Amino acid sequence: MPTAERPLKLASFIQACVARVLAVGELDSCMRRARALGELLWKNNLGQYALVELEQTLLQRYQHLFTTPAQRDIKATYLHVLSQAYTASGHTRVAEHLIASQALQDSAVLVTEKAPPATWEKLSTPGHPCICLPRYSDRQEKIQALLNHFAQYKILVLHIHPYDIDAVIAAGLARQLCGTRIYIYNHADHVFSYGHGTADVVLELSYFGWELSKLRGTHEKCVFAGIPLKLPDTTAERQENATGHIASAGSAYKYKPGGAYSFPDFAVQLQARTGRKLMLIGPNLKTNWWWWKPARQMGEQAIFHKRMAYQDYLACMRDASVYVDSFPLTGGTAFPEMAVKGLPCFGILTGAHGYSPADQLKSGSQDTLLDDMDYYLEQKQQQQQRPGIDQAVILQEIRQAHGIEQVARRISMAETANAQEKQPPWSNPAPINCDFYEKIWYTRKLFTPPIHNFPDWKLGVLFLKYWIQSRQTGHQT
């Protein structure tokens, strides 16, 4: 469909979907449809980033079904709420770092859906064992159980899946009935998520989320928190590796070509110009068809690993000469972590950046990145330098942005900080493009179906009609 028509068509589609969710009065069916809609909008970046009015409508409609918890003593100041806990990375790693901090030491963790036993110890503190909600077949019982727990804490910090409307409604009830404060840690800041309408504070992680909050209509609630990383106090001196490989790591989908960006094409050009081997951790050659031709072209000069044990990963990075971030989607925390470890880091300022001061190490385009990396690797000096980059200043800014205590302190001061203190603590090196992911989605030939929630057939039909409209021949943008 023409770009000019898109907002009207999208608004009509969303209105029809919300009507479908609200068409049934029974709580369980209504919430099930809301979860299905949430996952569709999360996985497919149509340009709809919040459903504030739907959250409020559901809260008002079903509030009468729930009982105000009996007055209880406050167990802790903070309760970190996760939909699921994972054995590594993601929300689990963030919560693990935050509850270990001094600023947020009076914290507990609750998991609403699934927590493997290996995560329980990580998410427990001496005074507060990790709470794993049992499986409920009745939605009302589940939300009431969540409400009973939430009422025992002053502040909820939601690290939830974007579709977890059950936790959002329970949090909204705790806010209304018990005065509980609601913070949402905006981990999925570039996609749709429930919770923005219910939250008192939105804890942002990037310049991208900061700018996108203006489209969500939640900018007045925003406080920059950042992503907590366990960083060394000092950057180790690295032995210059004049012939080492070029490393990159990230989830497989982050390398899939989109818009004007193609990491596989870039990899072929980079390998040809530099003569270096490439070590790519994350791509899956069996299923990632976008790598098939480039992999054949590079042959043995490119080594692919689907996943790697952490110690092997560190060894791979230690032997590398440089690190390059994935694109069009950034690889995440690996980029600033490698920079602080002293590994020369490169990437692209795509417009969807802004997650770290390490972005100041990135280039303005795919062609410029190729030139910058080639120039750096060709230098013969013992101490290679990069023009216009003050490495020491950037490393200090990375520690200020990502240090665990710094992040925890910003969260603890979220409602008392002044306007300047609420903003990201470094200068953004290039403008943010809020519709970056939206543009990529509208050029995709396939959509992403929901896999976490039972689908609703009518929502599926509405979505398919909208998807077909958006790709009508001759009207793609």
Side-chain angles (χ1 to χ4, degrees):
M1 69 180 71
T3 304
E5 291 182 12
R6 193 176 294 161
L8 291 176
K9 295 287 188 181
L10 177 60
S12 177
F13 164 69
I14 294 297
Q15 185 178 19
C17 288
V18 170
R20 171 64 179 173
V21 170
L22 298 174
V24 60
E26 191 262 327
L27 172 69
D28 189 79
S29 297
C30 185
M31 299 293 278
R32 180 165 46 80
R33 290 180 182 179
R35 286 172 66 95
L37 175 59
E39 186 175 0
L40 267 177
L41 297 179
W42 165 37
K43 294 292 184 64
N44 298 277
N45 208 316
L46 284 65
Q48 183 72 33
Y49 298 102
L51 287 175
V52 172
E53 291 184 5
L54 177 59
E55 290 178 29
Q56 298 303 322
T57 299
L58 292 173
L59 190 58
Q60 292 169 10
R61 176 189 277 192
Y62 297 115
Q63 180 177 340
H64 70 281
L65 297 177
F66 301 96
T67 304
T68 303
Q71 188 65 36
R72 301 183 188 181
D73 293 335
I74 296 297
K75 288 188 174 181
T77 301
Y78 300 95
L79 179 66
H80 298 266
V81 182
L82 286 69
S83 299
Q84 293 187 23
Y86 301 97
T87 53
S89 72
H91 293 154
T92 306
R93 182 72 57 82
V94 170
E96 183 184 352
H97 287 334
L98 294 179
I99 64 176
S101 69
Q102 288 296 312
L104 301 180
Q105 61 180 310
D106 191 23
S107 288
V109 176
L110 181 146
V111 184
T112 70
E113 294 179 8
K114 186 178 179 182
T119 65
W120 297 350
E121 185 176 352
K122 292 180 180 180
L123 297 175
S124 297
T125 63
H128 304 289
C130 178
I131 304 164
C132 300
L133 204 70
R135 189 178 184 87
Y136 286 91
S137 58
D138 184 277
R139 188 87 55 180
Q140 184 175 341
E141 289 183 9
K142 177 184 178 181
I143 295 175
Q144 183 68 57
L146 285 171
L147 172 57
N148 293 342
H149 282 292
F150 292 173
Q152 299 176 63
Y153 302 86
K154 294 181 180 179
I155 298 171
L156 305 181
V157 184
L158 304 182
H159 307 259
I160 57 175
H161 286 347
Y163 59 77
D164 194 353
I165 189 66
D166 302 31
V168 168
I169 294 303
L173 290 167
R175 184 176 184 267
Q176 285 191 3
L177 301 177
C178 310
T180 309
R181 304 298 287 171
I182 312 299
Y183 296 1
I184 180 170
Y185 185 84
N186 197 15
H187 188 99
D189 63 357
H190 62 293
V191 292
F192 169 87
S193 180
Y194 287 123
H196 291 276
T198 304
D200 297 292
V201 173
V202 178
L203 300 169
E204 295 290 0
L205 314 186
S206 69
Y207 269 102
F208 189 84
W210 187 263
E211 291 300 317
L212 194 61
S213 68
K214 298 171 184 177
L215 297 181
R216 283 190 171 107
T218 58
H219 190 64
E220 296 305 312
K221 300 179 178 183
C222 288
V223 175
F224 177 81
I227 304 170
L229 301 177
K230 194 170 184 179
L231 302 173
D233 294 332
T234 58
T235 300
E237 289 291 331
R238 284 179 57 89
Q239 187 71 33
E240 289 294 337
N241 193 339
T243 59
H245 61 264
I246 297 169
S248 185
S251 299
Y253 67 91
K254 295 183 176 182
Y255 294 93
K256 185 177 182 180
Y261 299 98
S262 174
F263 195 102
D265 288 348
F266 165 80
V268 171
Q269 294 175 305
L270 180 65
Q271 197 285 314
R273 280 182 63 169
T274 65
R276 304 293 182 103
K277 282 194 173 185
L278 303 185
M279 181 78 75
L280 299 156
I281 305 170
N284 184 344
L285 279 184
K286 290 183 178 180
T287 58
N288 298 165
W289 53 264
W290 50 91
W291 278 110
W292 292 346
K293 182 178 178 181
R296 286 197 304 272
Q297 290 174 302
M298 292 184 287
E300 294 181 355
Q301 294 303 306
I303 302 170
F304 292 83
H305 288 277
K306 285 189 293 184
R307 46 177 72 89
M308 187 180 281
Y310 188 63
Q311 291 304 317
D312 294 335
Y313 168 79
L314 291 179
C316 172
M317 296 303 164
R318 186 173 57 248
D319 296 337
S321 56
V322 295
Y323 180 88
V324 57
D325 197 18
S326 62
F327 61 81
L329 279 67
T330 177
T333 59
F335 192 72
E337 286 176 327
M338 290 304 107
V340 171
K341 288 182 181 296
L343 181 60
C345 290
F346 294 81
I348 300 179
L349 297 166
T350 61
H353 57 273
Y355 291 84
S356 173
D359 285 344
Q360 296 168 90
L361 301 169
K362 294 186 174 183
S363 307
S365 69
Q366 194 165 310
D367 289 340
T368 305
L369 174 61
L370 189 63
D371 291 339
D372 289 345
M373 294 187 69
D374 188 31
Y375 173 78
Y376 179 82
L377 290 169
E378 277 188 346
Q379 290 186 91
K380 305 300 183 185
Q381 299 94 328
Q382 184 66 23
Q383 296 296 323
Q384 295 168 313
Q385 300 295 324
R386 296 175 61 183
I389 290 178
D390 190 329
Q391 190 86 3
V393 170
I394 293 172
L395 292 177
Q396 182 56 37
E397 289 180 339
I398 291 173
R399 290 191 176 88
Q400 178 60 31
H402 297 295
I404 293 173
E405 285 302 332
Q406 285 81 354
V407 173
R409 185 164 57 250
R410 286 192 287 267
I411 294 173
S412 71
M413 297 174 60
E415 295 190 79
T416 59
N418 61 39
Q420 181 63 36
E421 292 169 334
K422 290 180 179 180
Q423 298 184 44
W426 75 92
S427 296
N428 183 25
I432 296 300
N433 180 7
C434 287
D435 63 357
F436 179 84
Y437 296 103
E438 182 183 336
K439 286 180 177 178
I440 290 177
W441 186 84
Y442 279 100
T443 63
R444 293 277 195 230
K445 295 181 180 180
L446 297 172
F447 59 85
T448 305
I451 58 174
H452 298 284
N453 295 286
F454 190 78
D456 177 82
W457 72 270
K458 184 64 177 294
L459 288 176
V461 169
L462 290 170
F463 176 80
L464 283 173
K465 286 182 178 179
Y466 181 78
W467 181 77
I468 291 169
Q469 281 183 335
S470 71
R471 284 150 179 80
Q472 289 175 343
T473 304
H475 294 288
Q476 292 186 7
T477 57

